[in-house]
Amino acid sequence: MPSSQRSLESGSLKGAVQEKREPLDPDLEFGGREARRKLERRLLWMLDLRMSILVFIYILNYIDRNNAGAARLRGFEADLGLKKQEFATLLSILYVGYILMQIPSNMFLNYIGKPSLYLPACMIIWGTISTLTGITENFVGALLTRFFLGFMEAAFFPGALFLISKWYKRSELGLRTAILYCGNIISNAFGALIASGILDGMQGKLGHSAWRWLFYIEGALTIFVAIVAIFVLPDFPTTTRGRWLSDEERHLAMRRMEEDAGVGDETETEVGGHAAGLIMAIKDWKVWWFSLAMTSQVVALSFNAYFPTLSATMGFNTTVTLLLCAPPFVFTAILAFLVSRHSDKTGERFYHITISYAVGIVGFIIAICTMNTAARYVSLFLMAQSYAGFVVMYAWISNTFPRPPSKRAVALALVNAFSQLGNVAGSYVWPTPWGPTYRNSRLDKEEQERGMTEKGFRYLT
């Protein structure tokens, strides 16, 4: 063979190998980089629009969970004949059901891949149970409704976190988690406003107490929104159907998640399996670290269930007390949004969390130290803004367990379920005899048990 021919063939072979080794443009199948950018913006816009209903669901989720605190101001305890720690038990029993259901629920959600049906179905059931709370006549009846309410509500929050983690990249999760959790925060504001209107205007209507109407109306509203959610919520990228998402957009959604984690979602699910995901989550020390950290934080945030009671210590009537509950949480929702967005942009989580908690501690100290009306109201703002750090913590958890989805589903549910032990304990942190200052010590308890009417000697600290 002539040397010139061998040289030509060798050059062609090298060129072919070099061309084969050169990476193909990953955006070529979407029409190039600019076309992909436009398609991605459209995809995210449609996703955000549909996912926004999760905020409304979360508002109702927490309103249904915490409306007992508002009902307490209008005869809930007296009508049911509650004594001593029975009201606190009603609050804590909800979290027993809540804890038991979260992991099985998320594993089932990952298995069926249809959050648009599963989450609204659970919502309809808990809305019905919340409505039934209004017909209870005694402690046992209320206890049963509260337990099963928590059992069904458990499906929502870990399920919602899992759903958004299937569509959004890690750099997008902080903001979306913040928007979702703002539903929780806003519920404390709007829940108090709604409760104020119902409790003030429905007393005696059709022969029912106002607090019973509170459960009837809010439960019915939950059922209505659940029916709407069936037609709005998306499923997972591989299981969602409908005209709102084209094949190209669905493919882009899956490609985004592959690029973000370096591996495909569905293949990992099939290979790992749901039982394997459970085992992987249980063996991961990070799951337990986050669980312990979140539990302590939830105890600190237990004031949430007693917020109307804490607001009442300022001495205003029921309507004004409930209205005053709204501004601290409106402020907190705005702050949580800004803090989470800044955390996403900077890629930093730790200091965004700890600074928020430090400010919350200042709020607790002010509330302990004074009964001045203005100071105590400021302390409520400072305490409430602790949720901004709490939101960033949830985004951090989602970032930490990106793949496989079977493990992520269990990890999110396990951390959230374990953390709710803090709510079980936190339900007993604010007993009525400790009000209005909610300061207490072992010396105080001993003197009360002895029947002493005057306080003895105390060291000043």
Side-chain angles (χ1 to χ4, degrees):
M1 181 182 292
S3 60
S4 59
Q5 186 177 350
R6 285 199 304 270
S7 176
L8 181 61
E9 289 179 357
S10 176
S12 300
L13 182 60
K14 287 180 180 178
V17 171
Q18 185 177 2
E19 182 180 354
K20 189 174 182 180
R21 287 179 178 175
E22 287 179 358
L24 295 175
D25 182 1
D27 301 330
L28 194 60
E29 60 183 312
F30 302 107
R33 180 174 297 180
E34 187 59 34
R36 171 175 169 161
R37 188 177 294 119
K38 290 181 180 178
L39 186 66
E40 196 164 356
R41 279 201 301 265
R42 171 179 163 80
L43 173 65
L44 287 175
W45 182 84
M46 291 190 299
L47 269 177
D48 289 340
L49 195 62
R50 286 182 171 267
M51 292 289 193
S52 63
I53 197 170
L54 292 174
V55 178
F56 295 100
I57 296 175
Y58 205 9
I59 290 173
L60 293 169
N61 181 276
Y62 243 73
I63 284 178
D64 289 339
R65 188 184 310 180
N66 287 342
N67 50 16
R72 187 188 194 192
L73 301 178
R74 276 300 182 93
F76 179 76
E77 285 182 291
D79 288 355
L80 297 185
L82 303 184
K83 302 173 183 178
K84 297 181 180 179
Q85 295 294 321
E86 288 183 341
F87 179 79
T89 301
L90 290 182
L91 296 183
S92 67
I93 195 65
L94 180 142
Y95 296 101
V96 176
Y98 194 77
I99 291 168
L100 291 173
M101 188 59 179
Q102 288 199 40
I103 295 174
S105 174
N106 249 24
M107 291 177 69
F108 183 68
L109 175 60
N110 186 44
Y111 174 73
I112 64 172
K114 287 291 182 181
S116 66
L117 296 177
Y118 178 66
L119 295 181
C122 292
M123 190 180 179
I124 290 172
I125 296 173
W126 96 55
T128 303
I129 294 171
S130 181
T131 303
L132 292 176
T133 308
I135 66 173
T136 55
E137 297 291 342
N138 52 45
F139 172 67
V140 175
L143 193 73
L144 290 173
T145 57
R146 294 286 295 180
F147 172 79
F148 287 108
L149 178 64
F151 198 79
M152 297 311 304
E153 281 199 351
F156 174 70
F157 186 61
L161 284 179
F162 185 50
L163 174 59
I164 65 175
S165 73
K166 294 280 280 186
W167 286 95
Y168 294 102
K169 297 190 293 186
R170 285 173 292 174
S171 60
E172 301 163 346
L173 271 178
L175 178 60
R176 270 69 184 193
T177 303
I179 294 173
L180 170 64
Y181 208 84
C182 279
N184 174 334
I185 299 168
I186 292 171
S187 72
N188 292 281
F190 285 98
L193 293 176
I194 294 171
S196 174
I198 295 173
L199 294 177
D200 191 51
M202 297 300 292
Q203 181 63 32
K205 299 294 183 181
L206 300 180
H208 297 294
S209 301
W211 70 263
R212 295 187 185 278
W213 280 109
L214 183 66
F215 288 103
Y216 297 154
I217 294 172
E218 291 180 349
L221 183 60
T222 297
I223 296 171
F224 171 76
V225 173
I227 295 171
V228 174
I230 295 173
F231 303 99
V232 176
L233 271 180
D235 290 317
F236 299 145
T238 55
T239 59
T240 194
R241 294 293 181 268
R243 297 180 180 178
W244 76 276
L245 194 67
S246 67
D247 290 337
E248 186 180 32
E249 289 164 341
R250 184 181 297 108
H251 184 57
L252 176 59
M254 292 186 285
R255 171 62 64 84
R256 276 165 35 89
M257 304 313 294
E258 290 174 7
E259 293 170 348
D260 188 49
V263 66
D265 229 16
E266 302 310 314
T267 303
E268 288 291 320
T269 302
E270 293 169 4
V271 173
H274 304 287
L278 175 62
I279 294 170
M280 283 188 288
I282 292 174
K283 286 184 176 180
D284 195 330
W285 66 269
K286 296 188 294 296
V287 172
W288 298 106
W289 184 90
F290 277 118
S291 297
L292 291 171
M294 294 291 281
T295 300
S296 63
Q297 293 162 31
V298 169
V299 174
L301 296 173
S302 62
F303 67 85
N304 171 57
Y306 288 88
F307 209 77
T309 302
L310 297 176
S311 179
T313 63
M314 291 184 288
F316 299 102
N317 62 40
T318 300
T319 301
V320 174
T321 292
L322 290 171
L323 292 175
L324 289 175
C325 291
F329 285 104
V330 172
F331 166 76
T332 298
I334 296 170
L335 187 64
F337 177 84
L338 296 175
V339 169
S340 297
R341 186 166 188 177
H342 188 264
S343 176
D344 271 354
K345 285 189 174 183
T346 59
E348 197 283 324
R349 305 291 191 202
F350 177 77
Y351 290 108
H352 288 79
I353 296 169
T354 54
I355 291 174
S356 174
Y357 289 164
V359 174
I361 290 171
V362 173
F364 283 112
I365 293 172
I366 293 173
I368 289 172
C369 293
T370 180
M371 286 301 296
N372 178 271
T373 301
R376 287 186 73 80
Y377 197 47
V378 169
S379 75
L380 294 182
F381 278 83
L382 299 182
M383 290 158 61
Q385 68 76 45
S386 300
Y387 275 100
F390 198 63
V391 170
V392 177
M393 177 66 87
Y394 269 118
W396 196 2
I397 295 169
S398 296
N399 291 163
T400 306
F401 307 105
R403 297 295 182 273
S406 54
K407 176 184 176 180
R408 185 171 74 249
V410 174
L412 290 171
L414 181 59
V415 171
N416 196 55
F418 197 90
S419 71
Q420 297 309 310
L421 291 172
N423 271 322
V424 175
S427 299
Y428 296 92
V429 172
W430 308 89
T432 302
W434 291 16
T437 63
Y438 289 94
R439 292 194 297 263
N440 201 32
S441 67
R442 297 180 74 179
L443 289 174
D444 293 333
K445 186 177 180 180
E446 289 177 7
E447 289 171 353
Q448 289 173 5
E449 290 173 351
R450 294 176 185 174
M452 297 172 62
T453 57
E454 295 184 5
K455 285 191 176 184
F457 175 79
R458 298 287 191 276
Y459 283 103
L460 297 179
T461 56

